[in-house]
Amino acid sequence: MEEHRKTIEENIIESYRQDEDMMILVFAQWCVNEGLDPEELYQQAYPQQQSNERLQRVLELTVPKEEAGPIPDDTVLGVLSLFGNEDLAFVVSEAISNRAPKK
């Protein structure tokens, strides 16, 4: 019984990690689409962290803007908030407000 519970806990943790990686990918691809550096924005949000290994890994999965589908601003902000990345959502909000209006 104990081993079964441990397996369930491990599956839940792994599922959360995968969801978190998807959130990182949405953020990173949104940055690429907007011509922004994901690492730079992350560093602005979390200056106390040297680098984020998961962000580095996920960056390899991004595609050029021309190959990516659009990611609405509300989507990236919602996903960041869902995972409690309020500091990063704030930096993204600033980037959104600072960009030139789309025509």
Side-chain angles (χ1 to χ4, degrees):
M1 191 69 166
E2 179 68 28
E3 190 168 319
H4 178 68
R5 190 173 62 181
K6 185 176 179 181
T7 301
I8 291 173
E9 288 174 3
E10 288 171 355
N11 289 341
I12 290 170
I13 291 168
E14 182 58 31
S15 177
Y16 184 81
R17 280 194 190 118
Q18 289 173 354
D19 290 347
E20 207 172 32
D21 283 349
M22 185 56 66
M23 175 268 304
I24 296 168
L25 181 57
V26 168
F27 162 71
Q29 189 63 58
W30 177 86
C31 289
V32 169
N33 291 358
E34 297 296 324
L36 301 168
D37 180 352
E39 292 175 294
E40 186 178 307
L41 290 184
Y42 187 88
Q43 193 63 41
Q44 287 176 27
Y46 304 106
Q48 69 281 8
Q49 292 185 17
Q50 295 299 321
S51 68
N52 184 311
E53 289 179 26
R54 292 175 75 188
L55 177 58
Q56 297 286 325
R57 206 174 56 244
V58 170
L59 282 174
E60 296 174 9
L61 302 175
T62 60
V63 296
K65 178 180 180 176
E66 301 75 34
E67 295 176 26
I71 299 174
D73 298 339
D74 289 346
T75 298
V76 72
L77 290 171
V79 168
L80 291 172
S81 293
L82 183 67
F83 281 87
N85 279 316
E86 302 302 329
D87 293 339
L88 190 52
F90 179 78
V91 170
V92 167
S93 293
E94 285 185 328
I96 291 167
S97 65
N98 289 336
R99 73 175 171 220
K102 292 183 178 178
K103 297 181 181 180

